[in-house]
Amino acid sequence: KKFARAFREVRQLLSPADLIPRLEDALGKFSRRDAAEVLQPVRTAVPLQKHGGFMGLMPTYMEKDGVLSTKFVCFYKREEGSTLPAVQATVVLLDPEYGNVKAVMDGEVITAMRTAAVSAISAKLLMPPQAEVLAILGTGKQALSHCRVFTEMFSFKELRVWSRTKEGAARFIRSIDGPVQGCSTAEEAVRGADVIVTVTGSTQPVLFGQWVKAGAHVAAVGACRPDWRELDDVLMKEAVVYADSREGAMLESGDVILSGAEVFAELGDVINGTKAAHREKTTVFKSLGMGVEDAVSAQLVFDRWKAQAGKF
Ligand SMILES: NC(=O)C1=CN([C@@H]2O[C@H](COP(=O)(O)OP(=O)(O)OC[C@H]3O[C@@H](n4cnc5c(N)ncnc54)[C@H](O)[C@@H]3O)[C@@H](O)[C@H]2O)C=CC1
Ligand SMILES: O=C(O)C1=NCCCC1
């Protein structure tokens, strides 16, 4: 009950429209590598061998903004048919001057919304002009949040979705408002698509370069371990690759490490105007998730919560 209430409370206080400008600002600050703006080491991942998962610790300090936070996130490789969540998270906000805890909040909504919002930022910067077709591979929590944020931010003419199971696709289609085409193969979903979002728990490629239209934009959100893949070598080598964090991608992304692809730029570099947005080319945004995204999201929730109830 307590967790359900925490989940609802965060969901009521957070919206993509308010979050996106804060995330753009945070991504830009992160890429400037100014220690007074953002201190955010690459996530520490502790293997939970017996349970097929990892606990990630994601501390962040934004000195100028007075924000100190950490997220604890456990993520698992779940077998097909498992009803257990793949990701569970909690965000802690602290007072940087005294070190006391200011708030402990549910991290599920924050993780779902900020990840989708950052993918939407990547699409805004990198997708081809007049993009009409969006394809989503995977039908879990991130698929739903990506669908909601992308349809709120853009006007695609066609939305396609693929799941490895019929039940997954049917559940997804039931959960969203508006038309969506369920596809029986990943290839059918992505052929001709202008924007492709991969949000699966797969550890092997589910998206192959030979299916991807030249000039399309791919937001690759799953495969967050060095030996996990969602994209094949052909796509990784043909595309211009962007990441949230260059260091993160070099340490955590199997798609980057095992393909040998070069990370051309961070999203923050494009936001800062120091690297080009190659909209005319096929682009991949490799998302791994960053503490600074959680920090600004949690601060927004906290500010709203205080203001709403006239607290303190
Ligand atoms: N980049 C980031 O910031 C974040 C990344 N993630 C990652 O995104 C992915 C999705 O997360 P959630 O939606 O929370 O998980 P979820 O468990 O709710 O959904 C996972 C989806 O992937 C599908 N799937 C699992 N194994 C598959 C396989 N072998 N082939 C094809 N499809 C498969 C499932 O059927 C389901 O549709 C995970 O890999 C997770 O680690 C999650 C949160 C943040
Ligand atoms: O940033 C996050 O939060 C996550 N990233 C990759 C794996 C699951 C959670």
Side-chain angles (χ1 to χ4, degrees), residues 43 58 71 73 75 87 111 114-115 221 224 288-290 294:
R43 163 172 53 218
M58 304 173 70
K71 182 163 86 175
V73 57
F75 56 102
V87 177
T111 303
R114 64 74 152 147
T115 307
V221 174
C224 299
L288 290 151
M290 300 203 293
D294 301 310

Side-chain angles (χ1 to χ4, degrees), residues 38-291:
V38 178
L39 270 180
Q40 182 217 266
V42 175
R43 163 172 53 218
T44 299
V46 178
L48 310 172
Q49 193 93 30
K50 184 174 164 191
H51 305 288
F54 294 85
M55 179 180 67
L57 296 176
M58 304 173 70
T60 300
Y61 181 35
M62 302 176 80
E63 187 180 88
K64 284 189 186 154
D65 294 318
V67 179
L68 177 65
S69 74
T70 191
K71 182 163 86 175
F72 305 90
V73 57
C74 288
F75 56 102
Y76 301 86
K77 180 176 162 11
R78 296 286 185 218
E79 296 312 322
E80 195 170 330
S82 167
T83 52
L84 295 170
V87 177
Q88 296 216 58
T90 303
V91 185
V92 180
L93 260 186
L94 301 109
D95 185 313
E97 189 173 0
Y98 303 108
N100 56 297
V101 171
K102 294 202 297 187
V104 178
M105 59 186 87
D106 166 76
E108 188 178 323
V109 180
I110 288 177
T111 303
M113 201 185 288
R114 64 74 152 147
T115 307
V118 170
S119 298
I121 293 168
S122 86
K124 189 169 87 169
L125 297 169
L126 300 170
M127 72 183 180
Q130 278 102 42
E132 294 189 340
V133 181
L134 168 66
I136 301 181
L137 304 185
T139 53
K141 286 193 183 123
Q142 286 292 338
L144 281 172
S145 62
H146 277 72
C147 179
R148 288 186 182 131
V149 173
F150 273 61
T151 49
E152 192 175 315
M153 242 184 109
F154 309 110
S155 315
F156 290 104
K157 290 198 176 140
E158 197 180 328
L159 168 61
R160 304 177 192 159
V161 70
W162 168 77
S163 168
R164 61 182 171 162
T165 64
K166 273 193 181 148
E167 301 73 42
R171 204 175 332 108
F172 180 90
I173 292 166
R174 275 198 308 276
S175 324
I176 62 156
D177 300 325
V180 49
Q181 186 191 330
C183 298
S184 48
T185 64
E187 179 177 357
E188 185 190 331
V190 305
R191 283 267 184 205
D194 301 295
V195 178
I196 302 167
V197 174
T198 61
V199 270
T200 73
S202 186
T203 56
Q204 303 296 326
V206 290
L207 179 62
F208 294 83
Q210 63 177 39
W211 304 340
V212 176
K213 177 167 132 180
H217 174 60
V218 177
V221 174
C224 299
R225 295 298 303 153
D227 54 347
W228 293 2
R229 303 289 301 261
E230 271 192 320
L231 315 183
D232 78 339
D233 283 356
V234 173
L235 177 55
M236 288 304 291
K237 286 192 175 141
E238 274 176 10
V240 183
V241 178
Y242 297 79
D244 36 19
S245 153
R246 192 180 282 280
E247 293 88 338
M250 306 299 283
L251 276 168
E252 292 193 318
S253 166
D255 287 328
V256 170
I257 298 163
L258 301 174
S259 69
E262 183 212 342
V263 175
F264 170 72
E266 293 178 346
L267 275 193
D269 296 323
V270 179
I271 290 167
N272 293 337
T274 54
K275 286 284 178 105
H278 283 292
R279 275 182 193 279
E280 75 290 0
K281 298 192 177 157
T282 306
T283 50
V284 165
F285 165 54
K286 180 55 227 161
S287 162
L288 290 151
M290 300 203 293

Side-chain angles (χ1 to χ4, degrees), residues 295-310:
V296 295
S297 307
Q299 187 62 43
L300 178 61
V301 170
F302 186 67
D303 291 343
R304 290 266 158 88
W305 175 78
K306 268 196 322 188
Q308 207 186 50

